[in-house]
Amino acid sequence: MQTLARIPFFKDTSDIDLTAFDRRCTWKRYDQNEIVVDFEDRSSDVYFILSGDVRVLIRTAAGKEVILAEMKAGQFFGEMSAIDTVARSANVTALTRSELCIMPAAVFRELLFSSRSICEKVLRLLTGRIRESNARLTEYSVFDLKHRLYAELLRISAPRTGHDGQRIVSPPPFHHVLAARIGCRREQITRELSALDNEHLVEKSRGGLVLLKPKVLEARLAEAMRNEG
């Protein structure tokens, strides 16, 4: 059944009747590599991901495209244009077959103004995204390429089950994708990962790229930050 109650973001929302908004949204499926929204689109809808994965790209003033994030089921995007009505600042493309709930900006704003719990969730989410953007901006300003790579690997990894102290990036990241995430060339990523492998700090496994000693990477980042200060 196509209902907002299926969307994790609206779980435990009890101060508003969501069924009154169901008919004002649409549900759409996207094929792999299909563009959901593009740079400078004038649309202002909000997209909730029910299944699948999407990639968010931003474009620098020089025209270079950088991967901002990869999002999965349970997350949403497009809220900025819904709030300020400014043209899209990013491209979003489906990485896999995906199903999305498309909510018009007017409906999204009505929900925000009608439900304190939803408004608080959105405020916390926006604050989190601003903090992450500030962290990445600091990394670009302070760190060289290899330290930006350390920070990105730590950010996109998760604790490795059954291996205390280790983390894993799963599925294993493509070198060109890592390059697009930190603003460099694929060949540079290959070189730096080889160096980490030689130091026995990372290794490839069937399930992903394993960070064998993430605390070493964290210590190197902390030292680089101190040296910069």
Side-chain angles (χ1 to χ4, degrees), residues 4 29 41 49 57 64 71-72 80 89-90 94 102 108 113 117 138 144 151 153 181 191 193 197 206 217 225:
L4 295 178
R29 288 184 170 85
D41 278 358
I49 308 171
L57 295 174
K64 184 176 183 179
M71 308 180 78
K72 58 186 178 180
M80 290 176 60
S89 58
I102 306 172
F108 181 72
F113 297 143
S117 62
T138 299
D144 58 14
L153 290 175
R181 292 182 73 97
R191 183 181 66 244
L193 287 178
D197 182 51
R206 179 178 299 179
L217 302 183
M225 186 67 76

Side-chain angles (χ1 to χ4, degrees), residues 92-200:
V92 182
T93 300
L95 290 176
T96 62
R97 287 180 58 86
S98 305
E99 182 183 8
L100 280 69
C101 169
I102 306 172
M103 179 181 291
V107 177
F108 181 72
R109 290 197 298 269
E110 185 175 339
L111 277 172
L112 289 185
F113 297 143
S114 302
S115 168
R116 178 170 181 171
S117 62
I118 291 176
C119 183
E120 288 180 345
K121 284 183 179 181
V122 171
L123 289 175
R124 286 195 296 270
L125 179 137
L126 290 175
T127 301
R129 290 183 179 175
I130 291 171
R131 291 184 189 279
E132 181 176 344
S133 295
N134 287 344
R136 295 185 71 168
L137 179 60
T138 299
E139 291 165 11
Y140 273 93
S141 303
V142 173
F143 294 150
D144 58 14
L145 184 151
K146 68 179 180 181
H147 286 89
R148 295 204 307 272
L149 177 60
Y150 300 163
E152 190 64 25
L153 290 175
L154 289 168
R155 180 166 32 245
I156 64 177
S157 63
R160 189 184 185 196
T161 303
H163 296 79
D164 189 41
Q166 296 183 6
R167 298 181 68 82
I168 186 169
V169 182
S170 182
F174 292 109
H175 290 193
H176 73 275
V177 172
L178 282 175
R181 292 182 73 97
I182 67 172
C184 68
R185 299 190 304 275
R186 178 182 59 80
E187 295 79 9
Q188 293 173 298
I189 293 294
T190 300
R191 183 181 66 244
E192 294 300 333
L193 287 178
S194 294
L196 290 173
D197 182 51
N198 291 335
E199 292 183 273
H200 305 293

